[in-house]
Structures are given as C-alpha cells and as structure tokens.
Amino acid sequence: MNHQTFQGSETYVASQELLSAVNISMALEKPLLIKGEPGTGKTELAKSIAEAFGAKLLIWSIKSTTKAQDGLYVYDVVQRLYDSQFGGKAVDNIEQYVHLGQVGAAFESEERCVLLIDEIDKADLEFPNDLLWELDQMEFTIPQTGKTIRAKHRPIIIITSNAEKELPDAFLRRCIFHYISFPDEELMRRIISVHYPKLEQDLIDQTIAAFYWVRSLPAVQKKPSTSELIDWIRALTYSGIPYPDILRKIPFAGVLLKKNEDLDALEAAKARRDRGY
C-alpha cells in the first residue's frame, strides 16, 4: 500500500486538489488535516481511503472531554482495585488492565491501516500538542508497565476539523493541510450520480438550481450541506413532486434547513421572489 495512490472510490467523488493532498500526505508520511463545512465529506474521506486500499479503518471520535492519552491507552485502575478486593484473581499482571486506544491499535496493527482522528477541534486547546511526540515518533511508552508501543507500520492519518477552535502552530506544522471547498455545480452533479445513477436529468437540474439558490440566501445561517441535498433528493423522489414545483415551492424544506429562523428566511425569500423583488 506504500506505493499506491488514492484516486477516489466508487462511492466518494473528490476534487483533484483533494486527491493530490491525500497522496502527498502519504508520500511524506505526515497526517492530513482536513477542514471544511459540515457535510462536505471530511469523515467519509477516511472511509473511502480505507475502502480503496482494502485497509482497516480505526476511528477516534473526539469529544470535549477527550484526552490525548485516551487514544494511546487506558489503564483501568478501578477494575484492578475491584479485582484485588472481590475478584478472587491475581492482579500483579498490570498488562491485563491496560487497553490500547485507537492510536495504540493503529500502531500495533499487523498491516498498515487508516486512522481517522475525527473533529479534533472539539477537544481542549492542549489536546493537539499532547499528541505531537507520538505522531512524530510513531511510538509511546505505557508508564504502568514500562512497555513501549512502536508502530509496526506507519498508519495513514486523517484528521478532521470543523474550525471550531484554532489549532496550535506547532501541530499545524506537522500536518499537510487541505480545505474542502463546497462543491461547485459540476462536482455536485458527479456526487449525485454516485448516489442516484438513474436519476432523471430534469429532476437533477431542478434540485441543483433550488439547492444553490437556498444556499445563496444571505439570511440563511446554516447553509444546507451535500448530505442534506442527498437526503432531499430521496424525499423528492419518494413524493413524486412535479419537477417545476421543486424550484418554485422548495418542498420538504425541513430536510435542507434545520433552524426555524432559516425556514422563516426561506419563506420570506420565496415571497419576495414571487412578487418579483
């Protein structure tokens, strides 16, 4: 897998710039940091890379309470204490209470795998810096046992961020960075064709026109994403709405927009448009 290049997959359409970023990160053996609007396929990228290479995918989903060590290993001191008091078994073997996290599992993998560190910006500000050594050196030591875990194969590391927080400069320097721009109409048509290969052209034209019109409205705060467009098309095909009504009425707008304020803004914009303003 070291000498392979990523060309996308049957289920994931990527721009040439994104494909190049993936392949450069693999060639330089650096993590690929992906930013972009929610719903632009950041998480799906890692799944697609694993699928394309037939590799195992390990996902570490970051939360506000996540600590860097959680991805390396967890020492279950509570279980050891319980076993020492009530378990009736020897507790001298500390290794039985040490469980590898997703980073540790990626290092221990017998084959090169894909490691997704998802939404790293949800954690506290020190979280990225706390991983610098491990991601650089591809190893870490477990103090409780003295054992050093070294990567048998350097994993392909994809890190996603929704830009909720700025990431430290020291961390950024160690990554290849790519921002996934929102798909233009041409790329969006390719994405739709992957999900709906037999969709009628008139339906595609109407949904594309309506979707980008809704996204263009300044008053809409949370712009609908690609995934919401895919869901909207499914709703439209189930309902049998006449194609001319799609752009005119924007039916099932609650599939696209998820805030009352945005739905109100859409209705106001439709009223202005119908009046010719």
Side-chain angles (χ1 to χ4, degrees):
M1 191 166 76
N2 289 357
H3 303 292
Q4 288 180 292
T5 58
F6 178 60
Q7 300 296 331
S9 69
E10 292 182 359
T11 59
Y12 190 88
V13 178
S15 67
Q16 189 57 53
E17 292 80 7
L18 177 56
L19 295 178
S20 297
V22 172
N23 290 316
I24 289 170
S25 73
M26 290 193 296
L28 299 182
E29 296 187 329
K30 289 179 175 290
L32 176 60
L33 173 62
I34 297 290
K35 289 186 179 183
E37 287 185 34
T40 49
K42 300 187 296 298
T43 300
E44 292 301 316
L45 172 64
K47 297 177 182 179
S48 177
I49 294 171
E51 176 188 331
F53 293 146
K56 183 178 181 181
L57 173 64
L58 297 172
I59 302 176
W60 185 16
S61 297
I62 307 303
K63 302 177 181 178
S64 60
T65 56
T66 302
K67 302 301 180 185
Q69 182 184 300
D70 299 340
L72 306 178
Y73 71 94
V74 175
Y75 171 46
D76 195 346
V77 64
V78 174
Q79 185 63 49
R80 187 183 183 211
L81 179 61
Y82 179 88
D83 289 344
S84 68
Q85 295 177 337
F86 311 108
K89 65 177 183 180
V91 295
D92 293 338
N93 180 13
I94 297 179
E95 285 196 14
Q96 65 183 315
Y97 300 103
V98 174
H99 309 289
L100 293 179
Q102 298 294 60
V103 176
F107 287 5
E108 283 277 83
S109 177
E110 294 297 333
E111 296 182 352
R112 194 181 189 194
C113 63
V114 177
L115 171 64
L116 170 62
I117 304 177
D118 204 21
E119 298 189 332
I120 193 172
D121 52 323
K122 282 188 174 180
D124 64 42
L125 292 176
E126 291 304 314
F127 177 90
N129 283 338
D130 290 343
L131 284 176
L132 287 179
W133 168 264
E134 290 77 12
L135 296 185
D136 264 354
Q137 303 299 316
M138 289 285 119
E139 68 176 43
F140 63 90
T141 299
I142 302 173
Q144 290 81 1
T145 64
K147 180 179 180 180
T148 297
I149 305 294
R150 294 185 177 89
K152 298 177 181 178
H153 304 275
R154 181 179 286 267
I156 298 172
I157 302 175
I158 306 297
I159 303 172
T160 70
S161 170
N162 288 326
E164 292 183 8
K165 299 189 189 82
E166 287 298 322
L167 299 175
D169 289 344
F171 182 80
L172 294 174
R173 284 196 297 271
R174 288 164 171 81
C175 298
I176 303 298
F177 173 76
H178 182 78
Y179 183 87
I180 299 183
S181 301
F182 197 83
D184 59 20
E185 290 193 19
E186 180 183 352
L187 183 57
M188 189 64 80
R189 288 177 184 273
R190 290 171 54 198
I191 293 171
I192 292 173
S193 68
V194 167
H195 293 272
Y196 303 104
K198 298 180 180 180
L199 205 61
E200 293 185 33
Q201 191 60 49
D202 286 345
L203 178 56
I204 295 176
D205 292 342
Q206 287 289 314
T207 54
I208 287 284
F211 176 74
Y212 281 97
W213 180 73
V214 172
R215 279 187 57 87
S216 73
L217 298 176
V220 171
Q221 301 173 30
K222 186 183 182 303
K223 310 292 186 184
S225 67
T226 304
S227 60
E228 287 157 344
L229 172 60
I230 299 303
D231 290 341
W232 191 47
I233 291 174
R234 183 176 296 115
L236 292 171
T237 55
Y238 284 160
S239 67
I241 294 288
Y243 298 157
D245 286 347
I246 295 175
L247 180 55
R248 184 168 61 88
K249 296 183 177 180
I250 318 291
F252 312 116
V255 179
L256 291 174
L257 303 174
K258 306 301 171 64
K259 291 185 174 184
N260 289 338
E261 298 86 350
D262 289 345
L263 290 169
D264 292 341
L266 174 61
E267 290 302 313
K270 284 163 54 181
R272 290 192 300 272
R273 182 191 61 184
D274 294 343
R275 293 194 300 267
Y277 292 171

